[in-house]
Amino acid sequence: MPTVGELSNLEEIGPGDRDYLALTQRGYNPRFLARPEKIFVPASADETVVAVQRAVDQGLRIALRSGGHCFEDLVDHPETKAIIDLRLQAEVRYDQAQRSFSVGAGAGLGVVYGQLYRGWGVTIPGGSCLGVGMGGHASGGGFGPLSRLFGSVVDHIYGVEVVVVDAAGKAAVVLATRDGQNADLWWAHTGGGGGSFGVVTRFLLRSHDSDGSDDPARLLPTPPANLMTSQIILPTASEDSFVRFVGNYLAFFEDNSEPGSRFASLYAPMFVSPLLGGVCQVTPRLDADLPDARALHDEFVSAVIAGVWPPPVVVPATEGPFLDMSSRLSAPKGRAPSSGKYKGANLRRAYSPEQLRTLHRYLSDPRFQGLESGVEFLPVGGAINARSSDATAMPTRDSFMKAFFIASWRNPAEENAYLEWSRNMYRDIYVDTGGVPVPNHANGGSYINYPDNDLRDPRWNTSGVPWHTVYFGNNYARLQQIKAKWDPCDIFRHRLSIELPER
C-alpha cells in the first residue's frame, strides 16, 4: 500500500521558485525576513505530516506560519530552515461528528467571522486585525471586542488537530479534545502559544459552557445584531490633560470589568499617538439593541472627559449591522507599513499618575513623532475573568486592560534609536518591578501573542523573574510536562517557546 508521502501533492518551494519571495514576505513585521531552504505549503493534515517528516529527516529547523502576524523573529529568524505555511488550510465548516465548527489554522479572522456569522449567526470573541491567522491567535489565547461579553477565544476551543513528532522522529496527526484522551495537548493549545508542541492544522470550536446541542447555532456565541460606535478625541494633550484623560479612562474600566458588569458589552480601545502632532483617541462600541445602550454610552463618555481641559471632541454615535460595523472598525489584512518593536502588558490596576507622566514624557519626545508609533489600551476583563487561571493555559484571568506599546520606523537608519526609545519607555513605566510587568497586585504579566524577546534579556528584565512567569504564570510547569510528552526532541521551538523541563 502506498504511504501518505507517496500519495502527496505537497507543494515545496525553494529559493529559485517563483513564489519564494512572496511567501518569505508574509510576515507582518518588515524588520525580519527569513531565508529558509524550503517552504512547505500543505493543503491538508496528511500533507502537513509529510512536510514535517521531510524537514525532520533533513535536519531542517522548522517554523510555522498561519496568518504571519508574529511581531518578533520567532518565525523569520536566521536559524529557520523550513517554514510550514498553512495558508491553504483555511476551511470553515460544521463538523457533525464532533458537534463543533472546524476552522483551518490558516484561516484569517476576517474569513472566520464572515463565514460563522453568515452561515450560522455565531461568532468567536477574537481580535480586530482581520488578516491574523487562527493558528497563532487561538493558540496564544485570543481576545477582542467581544471578549468582555464572551471570554477569550480559548474558552471556545473544544479540540485541536495537531501534527506532532515522537521520540523516534516520526510525525503523525493527533486529535486532542477537551474531554478526550489527549486533553493535555488540547489544554496546551489554549494559551501556550504557537510553535511549541506541533503544527495545529485545525481547531474545533464549541463553547466551554455550551449545552451539548446538535444545533450549530447554539454552540458558539451569538453576537449583537447591531453595534453603536462613536469617537472621543483629545486633539492636543498637555501633561495635565493627558494624565486626567487617560487616568479617567483606565479608572472607568478598572471599576467596570467584573464578570456580568452592566458595561460588559462596551469595548473602547484607546490609541495614544506621539503627542506633538498626534492625538488621544477612544473608539467605543457596544450592543446598540440594549434598552439602555445610549445611556451606557453617554455615561462612559461623561466619565472619560470629566475635568479634562481643553475639553475633548465627542463625535456623535452611529449604529450599524454587526458584521459591517465590525469590519469597518477593524484593521485590514496586510503587512505593517514599517518596521516595528512591540511590547505588551496586562493591567490589574490603573497606571499611577507618575506612570502616566512618564508615558507622556516619552510620547512628547520630538525625536520620535511617527504617527504609527504610540501606545494602545485594549479593555479586557468581564467574561474573561469568570474562569480560573488554570482552566486554560492562558493564565490571565484577573486583569482589566492590555497595554500595547508600538515603536515604528520607516528609515532603517533610525532602528537603534527607536528600539532604545521603546525599551527605555517600557522599562521606566515598570521601574518598580525590574523593567517588566512582573505579576503582582498591579500587573498581570504579559500576553504571549505580543511576544517580546527583551523579556528574556537580563539587560532589560532586571527583575530576577523569568520571562515565562511573565507570560504563563503558574501554568508554565504544566506546559513543560506536556512539551516533554508531545515534543520530546524539541522539534518545535523558538526564542519564546515552551522549554523542555530540566532532567
Side-chain angles (χ1 to χ4, degrees):
M1 178 178 292
T3 66
V4 170
E6 291 170 338
L7 292 174
S8 175
N9 293 313
L10 173 66
E11 188 175 5
E12 181 178 316
I13 295 169
D17 295 323
R18 180 185 59 188
D19 294 334
Y20 179 83
L21 184 60
L23 287 172
T24 61
Q25 293 180 343
R26 284 193 66 220
Y28 180 78
N29 191 348
R31 182 181 167 205
F32 305 112
L33 183 68
R35 294 294 187 187
E37 295 179 19
K38 295 183 178 179
I39 301 175
F40 299 100
V41 190
S44 66
D46 285 344
E47 287 192 359
T48 305
V49 171
V50 176
V52 171
Q53 193 66 65
R54 289 182 188 174
V56 170
D57 291 346
Q58 295 170 37
L60 302 178
R61 175 77 171 266
I62 296 173
L64 316 179
R65 175 165 285 157
S66 53
H69 279 67
C70 184
F71 295 129
E72 281 282 13
D73 59 352
L74 309 187
V75 175
D76 290 311
H77 190 277
E79 294 181 6
T80 296
K81 301 304 178 185
I83 291 178
I84 297 178
D85 189 304
L86 299 168
R87 63 178 182 154
L88 297 182
Q89 299 184 56
E91 183 183 37
V92 179
R93 62 181 174 85
Y94 179 63
D95 187 326
Q96 179 67 50
Q98 297 292 337
R99 288 187 299 112
S100 303
F101 291 96
S102 174
V103 177
L109 293 182
V111 171
V112 175
Y113 300 150
Q115 294 197 26
L116 287 178
Y117 188 69
R118 293 188 182 102
W120 298 276
V122 298
T123 194
I124 54 173
S128 56
C129 294
L130 300 181
V132 169
M134 275 291 290
H137 183 69
S139 297
F143 81 98
L146 294 176
S147 287
R148 288 166 51 81
L149 270 177
F150 302 126
S152 292
V153 172
V154 293
D155 296 323
H156 306 277
I157 296 177
Y158 169 70
V160 287
E161 183 181 76
V162 193
V163 175
V164 296
V165 178
D166 65 17
K170 182 175 176 56
V173 62
V174 173
L175 184 65
T177 59
R178 187 165 54 219
D179 53 8
Q181 61 181 350
N182 301 319
D184 58 342
L185 188 60
W186 159 81
W187 186 86
H189 286 93
T190 61
S196 281
F197 307 95
V199 186
V200 177
T201 54
R202 66 180 178 126
F203 295 89
L204 297 174
L205 303 181
R206 185 204 307 169
S207 299
H208 75 96
D209 56 355
S210 65
D211 59 8
S213 171
D214 289 326
D215 180 0
R218 295 174 61 182
L219 298 179
L220 287 175
T222 301
N226 298 286
L227 293 177
M228 175 186 296
T229 186
S230 66
Q231 288 185 330
I232 312 168
I233 302 169
L234 185 65
T236 59
S238 66
E239 181 180 283
D240 288 343
S241 64
F242 176 86
V243 170
R244 185 63 181 260
F245 186 67
V246 181
N248 286 349
Y249 168 86
L250 294 176
F252 179 90
F253 279 105
E254 183 179 357
D255 292 341
N256 292 281
S257 287
E258 70 279 4
S261 164
R262 63 193 182 95
F263 286 98
S265 170
L266 175 67
Y267 179 74
M270 171 186 280
F271 185 71
V272 184
S273 57
L275 297 171
L276 293 183
V279 298
C280 299
Q281 179 172 304
V282 181
T283 308
R285 67 177 85 172
L286 73 161
D287 183 348
D289 296 327
L290 292 174
D292 55 350
R294 180 69 62 168
L296 290 171
H297 171 271
D298 292 348
E299 184 178 343
F300 168 70
V301 172
S302 295
V304 172
I305 67 175
V308 180
W309 187 264
V313 175
V314 179
V315 178
T318 59
E319 299 179 14
F322 165 73
L323 198 59
D324 292 344
M325 190 68 77
S326 295
S327 297
R328 182 167 71 82
L329 295 171
S330 295
K333 181 178 179 179
R335 206 175 192 211
S338 53
S339 297
K341 176 65 179 177
Y342 305 86
K343 293 175 171 289
N346 297 315
L347 279 63
R348 290 174 173 159
R349 295 288 184 272
Y351 282 156
S352 67
E354 291 74 20
Q355 287 176 300
L356 292 177
R357 291 188 185 98
T358 297
L359 186 59
H360 182 271
R361 184 176 76 251
Y362 275 95
L363 293 173
S364 301
D365 190 325
R367 298 171 296 172
F368 304 99
Q369 290 297 303
L371 294 182
E372 292 158 5
S373 298
V375 178
E376 191 168 15
F377 292 104
L378 304 159
V380 287
I384 294 176
N385 294 359
R387 305 188 72 196
S388 67
S389 61
D390 61 355
T392 62
M394 185 199 74
T396 308
R397 300 284 185 173
D398 55 4
S399 297
F400 75 94
M401 186 71 64
K402 292 187 185 294
F404 185 42
F405 297 77
I406 306 165
S408 184
W409 60 91
R410 293 177 183 257
N411 182 353
E414 296 179 320
E415 176 171 331
N416 288 337
Y418 271 89
L419 286 175
E420 183 179 11
W421 173 74
S422 171
R423 288 164 168 163
N424 288 338
M425 173 167 53
Y426 192 75
R427 179 198 61 198
D428 289 353
I429 291 290
Y430 294 103
V431 65
D432 292 338
T433 51
V436 298
V438 173
N440 62 10
H441 72 286
N443 308 317
S446 192
Y447 176 45
I448 193 58
N449 282 357
Y450 296 160
D452 177 11
N453 291 330
D454 291 347
L455 291 187
R456 65 177 307 156
D457 187 336
R459 293 174 299 173
W460 299 106
N461 178 1
T462 61
S463 68
V465 176
W467 67 272
H468 51 75
T469 298
V470 181
Y471 281 123
F472 303 110
N474 294 330
N475 288 341
Y476 188 66
R478 183 177 174 186
L479 287 167
Q480 285 188 290
Q481 294 303 317
I482 299 169
K483 171 78 169 180
K485 176 181 176 181
W486 290 101
D487 185 24
C489 299
D490 202 21
I491 298 298
F492 302 99
R493 65 189 188 276
H494 50 70
R495 294 174 71 184
L496 295 176
S497 60
I498 307 301
E499 298 172 335
L500 289 169
E502 295 184 5
R503 297 184 183 275

